[in-house]
Amino acid sequence: MIITTTNTIETHTIKEYLGIVTGETIIGANIFKDFFAGIRDIVGGRSSSYEGVLREAKDTALKEMQEQANRLGANAVIGVDLDYETVGPNGGMLMVTASGTAVKI
């Protein structure tokens, strides 16, 4: 399945629009990741533990969106947008939402 942030797919004609599809995930960062990220804030550098959590959440949201598109009979999703938000007490959880338009090309 083609998944793209653009509203068209070069060399393909969109034959049918099937509707908006979404995928959401909420994932928590545990206390150890928070602790080591705090150390990184002090000494500098990238926080690979948080980067891994972000990547996992993004991949899960995209997979859910793709599965919803498959159920509609789509073979592509166009106009994909990813949103990242912190939720929960003290922003301890990360929510990632993927949305786009399911189409047949």
Side-chain angles (χ1 to χ4, degrees):
M1 174 175 293
I2 297 173
I3 298 176
T4 181
T5 58
T6 61
N7 292 321
T8 60
I9 302 171
E10 193 172 327
T11 72
H12 290 79
T13 301
I14 295 172
K15 296 179 179 166
E16 186 177 358
Y17 291 85
L18 301 171
I20 295 171
V21 289
T22 62
E24 302 85 17
T25 186
I26 297 177
I27 193 164
N30 67 36
I31 190 166
F32 298 110
K33 289 179 184 173
D34 289 342
F35 174 74
F36 289 115
I39 292 172
R40 290 273 188 210
D41 285 344
I42 294 168
V43 299
R46 293 172 61 172
S47 175
S48 62
S49 59
Y50 273 124
E51 288 173 357
V53 169
L54 278 170
R55 192 171 300 108
E56 178 184 349
K58 173 193 58 93
D59 291 346
T60 301
L62 286 170
K63 181 180 177 204
E64 286 185 8
M65 182 189 68
Q66 182 177 347
E67 289 170 354
Q68 186 179 8
N70 276 330
R71 287 191 297 273
L72 293 175
N75 58 3
V77 180
I78 60 171
V80 173
D81 181 55
L82 293 168
D83 289 316
Y84 297 84
E85 297 288 334
T86 55
V87 295
N90 302 319
M93 309 275 297
L94 174 69
M95 178 176 68
V96 178
T97 303
S99 61
T101 302
V103 297
K104 284 185 183 180
I105 55 173

